[in-house]
């Protein structure tokens, strides 16, 4: 509660400070009272930040990302957006964002709308890998990518606007991680390999399985073992799947990790091209630079 709310309830002005001195209450921000002496879980800290920032404030950026499931770990620093005409002094572990146009917010803890949160976070990203990861996380959190695009269109200033549109389309087409996008761009497109299908589901060996990348005409699958789906590397289930596909479908499986795609994309493209040719592809991989082993 705020000091003003306490006074409106008829509590004397100095009562808050007295209770804090006696360690019966806590005051995480000036003029804000937490009326118990126990631990402060993240939602309580977030509520205190909103009370401190006052009317019209809403959780945003990393705080909103946590609220909407874009991140799993509660951020130590709480981000709050505040209407431009108001001024709020910064505090430890509290970051204030003054907004000329406040985005929509809702919830018991008022929080900036999920698509607007994605666009807020977009403006703070350092590279394309982080950008595609954000959009993939948004898709997994069931945030509409069309709503993200609409929120971006409503911003007068937005860095890398064209890249955002391109990456949104990549995610719509099935890209689910930075590793998959790197494979698609650095291995496949840059070396002139045929376009693959992404996230293909099949019924093999009495089970439903899913492949990251499939070249159906050439009986080739590519599994990209990133930390999201394969935190410990190849599993027994992966081995069973690869064997079942080979036996039932006569389809080979190539398996790559981050280093193969990010550090040696040319060598990886050369290997994929060789496997495609064994499957009947009559094309030729294209060298992406002088000395590229794929060409």
């Amino acid at each position: 509660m705020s000091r003003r709310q306490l006074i409106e309830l008829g509590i004397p002005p100095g009562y808050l400070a007295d209770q804090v001195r006696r360690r019966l209450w806590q005051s995480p921000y000036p003029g804000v009272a937490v009326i118990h002496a126990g631990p402060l879980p993240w939602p309580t800290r977030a509520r205190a930040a909103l009370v401190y920032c006052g009317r019209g404030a809403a959780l945003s950026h990393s705080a909103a990302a946590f609220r909407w499931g874009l991140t799993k770990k509660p951020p130590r620093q709480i981000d709050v957006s505040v209407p431009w005409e108001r001024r709020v002094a910064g505090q430890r572990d509290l970051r204030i964002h003054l907004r000329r146009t406040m985005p929509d917010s809702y919830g018991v803890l008022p929080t900036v709308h999920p698509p607007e949160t994605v666009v807020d976070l977009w403006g703070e990203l350092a590279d394309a890998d982080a950008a595609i990861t954000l959009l993939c996380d948004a898709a997994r959190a069931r945030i509409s990518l069309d709503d993200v695009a609409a929120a971006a269109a409503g911003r007068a200033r937005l860095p890398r606007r064209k890249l955002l549109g391109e990456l949104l389309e990549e995610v719509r087409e099935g890209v689910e991680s930075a590793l998959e996008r790197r494979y698609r761009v650095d291995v496949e497109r840059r070396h002139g390999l045929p376009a693959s299908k992404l996230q293909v589901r099949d019924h093999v060996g009495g089970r439903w399985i899913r492949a990251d990348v499939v070249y159906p005409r050439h009986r080739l699958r590519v599994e990209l073992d990133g930390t999201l789906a394969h935190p410990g590397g190849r599993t027994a289930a992966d081995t069973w799947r690869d064997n079942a596909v080979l036996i039932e479908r006569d389809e080979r499986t190539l398996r790559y990790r981050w280093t193969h795609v990010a550090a040696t994309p040319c060598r990886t493209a050369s290997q994929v091209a060789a496997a495609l040719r064994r499957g009947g592809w009559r094309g030729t991989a294209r060298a992406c630079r002088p000395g590229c082993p794929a060409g």
Side-chain angles (χ1 to χ4, degrees), residues 130-207:
I132 194 69
T133 298
L134 169 65
L135 298 181
C136 291
D137 288 344
R140 276 188 288 274
R142 300 193 176 185
I143 298 172
S144 166
L145 298 182
D146 290 341
D147 288 348
V148 172
R155 301 289 180 98
R157 296 180 180 179
L158 185 67
R160 306 183 302 279
R161 188 184 298 273
K162 181 180 178 181
L163 177 62
L164 175 58
E166 293 172 354
L167 295 187
L168 283 170
E169 190 58 33
E170 296 269 11
V171 178
R172 290 189 185 102
E173 291 175 0
V175 170
E176 292 188 347
S177 68
L179 177 59
E180 290 182 5
R181 180 178 182 270
R182 283 205 177 215
Y183 177 86
R184 199 177 210 202
V185 174
D186 295 341
V187 175
E188 193 174 272
R189 292 176 180 168
R190 193 162 292 168
H191 295 93
L193 301 181
S196 58
K197 293 186 176 181
L198 305 179
Q199 320 307 337
V200 176
R201 286 173 54 83
D202 278 317
H203 197 258
V204 178
R207 302 182 188 180

Side-chain angles (χ1 to χ4, degrees), residues 45-59:
R45 291 179 52 224
R47 169 63 70 188
L50 290 170
V51 171
Y52 170 73
C53 292
R55 178 178 48 83
L59 300 176

Side-chain angles (χ1 to χ4, degrees), residues 3-261:
R3 180 182 288 110
R4 177 180 297 178
Q5 289 172 319
L6 292 170
I7 292 173
E8 289 173 352
L9 290 172
I11 296 174
Y15 190 76
L16 189 161
D18 181 60
Q19 293 295 89
V20 171
R21 262 194 313 271
R22 296 170 63 190
R23 297 186 179 180
L24 299 175
W25 290 4
Q26 301 172 74
S27 182
Y29 303 110
V32 177
V34 176
I35 54 177
H36 65 74
L40 299 182
W42 193 87
T44 302
R45 291 179 52 224
R47 169 63 70 188
L50 290 170
V51 171
Y52 170 73
C53 292
R55 178 178 48 83
L59 300 176
S60 64
H61 296 75
S62 62
F66 175 66
R67 289 280 291 161
W68 303 131
L70 283 166
T71 56
K72 302 302 181 186
K73 185 177 180 180
R76 178 171 181 174
Q77 176 179 263
I78 296 178
D79 290 276
V80 178
S81 285
V82 176
W84 179 264
E85 63 273 11
R86 300 186 55 245
R87 290 294 182 270
V88 179
Q91 300 293 330
R92 181 181 177 184
D93 295 335
L94 175 62
R95 184 168 63 153
I96 306 297
H97 303 265
L98 294 178
R99 311 288 287 258
R100 290 188 180 276
T101 302
M102 278 292 293
D104 292 337
S105 61
Y106 63 90
V108 176
L109 293 174
T111 306
V112 169
H113 195 259
E116 297 284 356
T117 294
V118 174
V119 180
D120 284 342
L121 295 172
W122 172 270
E124 299 183 340
L125 297 176
D127 55 44
D129 287 337
I132 194 69
T133 298
L134 169 65
L135 298 181
C136 291
D137 288 344
R140 276 188 288 274
R142 300 193 176 185
I143 298 172
S144 166
L145 298 182
D146 290 341
D147 288 348
V148 172
R155 301 289 180 98
R157 296 180 180 179
L158 185 67
R160 306 183 302 279
R161 188 184 298 273
K162 181 180 178 181
L163 177 62
L164 175 58
E166 293 172 354
L167 295 187
L168 283 170
E169 190 58 33
E170 296 269 11
V171 178
R172 290 189 185 102
E173 291 175 0
V175 170
E176 292 188 347
S177 68
L179 177 59
E180 290 182 5
R181 180 178 182 270
R182 283 205 177 215
Y183 177 86
R184 199 177 210 202
V185 174
D186 295 341
V187 175
E188 193 174 272
R189 292 176 180 168
R190 193 162 292 168
H191 295 93
L193 301 181
S196 58
K197 293 186 176 181
L198 305 179
Q199 320 307 337
V200 176
R201 286 173 54 83
D202 278 317
H203 197 258
V204 178
R207 302 182 188 180
W208 282 102
I209 64 172
R210 191 178 74 157
D212 296 328
V213 177
V214 176
Y215 300 91
R217 292 182 58 189
H218 309 296
R219 304 191 307 281
L220 178 65
R221 293 167 180 251
V222 175
E223 293 295 339
L224 301 170
D225 295 349
T227 56
L228 181 65
H230 306 266
R234 184 172 180 171
T235 66
D238 295 331
T239 300
W240 181 93
R241 177 180 60 185
D242 295 349
N243 292 342
V245 166
L246 179 62
I247 293 168
E248 289 195 15
R249 302 284 186 88
D250 190 28
E251 294 180 358
R252 293 169 300 282
T253 300
L254 300 179
R255 192 170 288 275
Y256 299 111
R257 295 186 69 80
W258 179 267
T259 185
H260 303 121
V261 175

